């Protein structure tokens, strides 16, 4: 089996990750040794007695800024552990995180994910100790933790051995780059709403064509932007 993919997460709230990382497919990937997630508490790198990690902004204004010293010490420690992994800051100012981003991150020599809190991190840290900035979407979160979980969940699915055959085949199907076709399960009739007859026909070619048409129709209606290039 291929070596375990290592992700180190720098955060002020390591406990935030406990249940999401132990549950579902991510939990399985960790159990089976495909993925290793190291949670590092930035506060452990603060040297003063109050273990202070934030401070007021120069120039004034509301809120607090993450102090450089503990964060850079945590980043230096991470560099030593994962010398070739990109140091990625989760921030609304980053490049948009897309499926293609996720696929390419799975090809890196591990990841170092930095979760910002407060109004952000000191600009000098961003400029000199961060390789890349990623945004999971145009909204503001309380901190980068939820965004880091999105990245872990999505990247994990591209690691060799994580998805079973069934799930991999679904990913490669014609609907790649389009929205998914509608799914149904038993019962055949539910509170007066029936499953389309074609899905019960056993005619695989007709079913495939129907699904392709539904996926296309749904994509045209909801996300025409997905059909623009290609
Ligand atoms: C986010 C990521 O909100 C998001 O990330 C968390 C966050 C909140 C506040 C500040 C921050 O860092 C900013 C910074 O940039 C240099 O220091 C990050 C929304 N979409 N993707």
């Amino acid at each position: 089996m291929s070596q375990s993919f290592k992700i180190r997460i720098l955060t002020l709230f390591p406990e935030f990750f406990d249940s999401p990382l132990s549950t579902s497919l991510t939990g399985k990937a960790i159990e089976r040794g495909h993925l290793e997630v190291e949670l590092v508490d930035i506060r452990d790198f603060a040297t003063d007695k109050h273990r202070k990690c934030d401070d007021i902004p120069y120039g004034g204004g509301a809120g607090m800024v993450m102090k450089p010293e503990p964060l850079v010490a945590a980043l230096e420690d991470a560099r030593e552990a994962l010398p070739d992994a990109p140091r990625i800051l989760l921030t609304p100012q980053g490049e948009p995180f897309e499926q293609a981003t996720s696929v390419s991150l799975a090809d890196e020599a591990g990841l170092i994910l930095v979760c910002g809190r407060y109004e952000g991190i000191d600009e000098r840290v961003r400029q000199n100790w961060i390789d890349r900035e990623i945004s999971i979407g145009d909204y503001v979160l309380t901190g980068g933790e939820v965004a880091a979980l999105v990245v872990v969940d999505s990247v994990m699915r591209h690691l060799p051995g994580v998805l079973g055959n069934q799930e991999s085949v679904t990913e490669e199907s014609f609907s790649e780059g389009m929205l998914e076709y509608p799914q149904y399960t038993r019962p055949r009739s539910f509170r007066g709403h029936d499953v389309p007859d074609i899905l019960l026909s056993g005619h695989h070619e007709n079913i495939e064509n129907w699904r392709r048409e539904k996926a296309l129709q749904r994509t045209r209606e909801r996300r025409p932007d997905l059909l623009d290039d290609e």
Side-chain angles (χ1 to χ4, degrees):
M1 196 181 55
S2 51
Q3 254 297 298
S4 175
F5 189 85
K6 287 195 180 129
I7 303 182
R8 179 175 289 212
I9 302 178
L10 276 46
T11 173
L12 288 167
F13 298 95
E15 69 278 9
F16 195 98
F17 295 86
D18 291 348
S19 125
L21 291 181
S22 57
T23 309
S24 185
L25 199 57
T26 316
K28 284 265 151 34
I30 293 171
E31 263 176 41
R32 294 178 179 162
H34 301 299
L35 172 67
E36 205 169 310
V37 179
E38 305 176 319
L39 289 160
V40 169
D41 191 341
I42 297 165
R43 206 169 294 283
D44 289 345
F45 292 85
T47 50
D48 65 307
K49 82 163 182 243
H50 294 109
R51 307 212 300 158
K52 192 175 161 67
C53 287
D54 63 340
D55 209 338
I56 54 174
Y58 270 118
M64 299 294 270
V65 177
M66 280 177 81
K67 283 171 68 62
E69 301 92 328
L71 184 52
V72 166
L75 278 161
E76 284 172 342
D77 185 64
R79 246 289 113 123
E80 228 169 275
L82 296 170
D84 298 314
R87 296 159 296 185
I88 300 172
L89 177 68
L90 288 314
T91 167
Q93 300 170 37
E95 53 172 306
F97 185 63
E98 293 179 346
Q99 186 72 357
T101 325
S102 171
V103 170
S104 71
L105 289 183
D107 224 32
E108 296 280 2
L111 301 175
I112 297 167
L113 301 180
V114 180
C115 305
R117 278 265 156 178
Y118 318 117
E119 305 314 307
I121 70 173
D122 186 285
E123 179 68 7
R124 295 163 294 182
V125 179
R126 192 190 65 75
Q127 286 180 338
N128 298 290
W129 283 273
I130 295 293
D131 299 305
R132 197 162 169 185
E133 293 167 69
I134 287 180
S135 164
I136 63 156
D138 293 336
Y139 33 77
V140 181
L141 304 169
T142 320
E145 284 77 10
V146 167
L149 279 173
V150 168
V151 171
V152 171
D153 187 288
S154 159
V155 168
M156 171 274 296
R157 306 178 82 256
H158 307 299
L159 300 177
V162 166
L163 295 192
N165 256 345
Q166 200 122 353
E167 293 145 311
S168 311
V169 166
T170 307
E171 285 226 318
E172 286 161 13
S173 78
F174 56 79
S175 60
E176 191 77 345
M178 284 201 278
L179 301 182
E180 281 296 324
Y181 52 78
Q183 299 279 9
Y184 297 86
T185 187
R186 291 179 286 187
R188 180 174 179 164
S189 184
F190 178 68
R191 301 193 182 187
H193 304 281
D194 295 347
V195 173
D197 283 332
I198 193 158
L199 297 179
L200 310 165
S201 69
H203 195 304
H204 296 301
E205 198 184 316
N206 287 355
I207 291 171
E208 179 124 332
N209 287 336
W210 181 88
R211 285 177 166 171
R212 184 183 286 109
E213 195 44 52
K214 286 290 174 189
L216 188 58
Q217 179 189 327
R218 191 166 275 197
T219 309
R220 263 197 232 103
E221 284 169 7
R222 299 183 184 187
R223 293 293 306 279
D225 58 298
L226 295 179
L227 299 169
D228 285 349
D229 40 47
E230 290 175 78

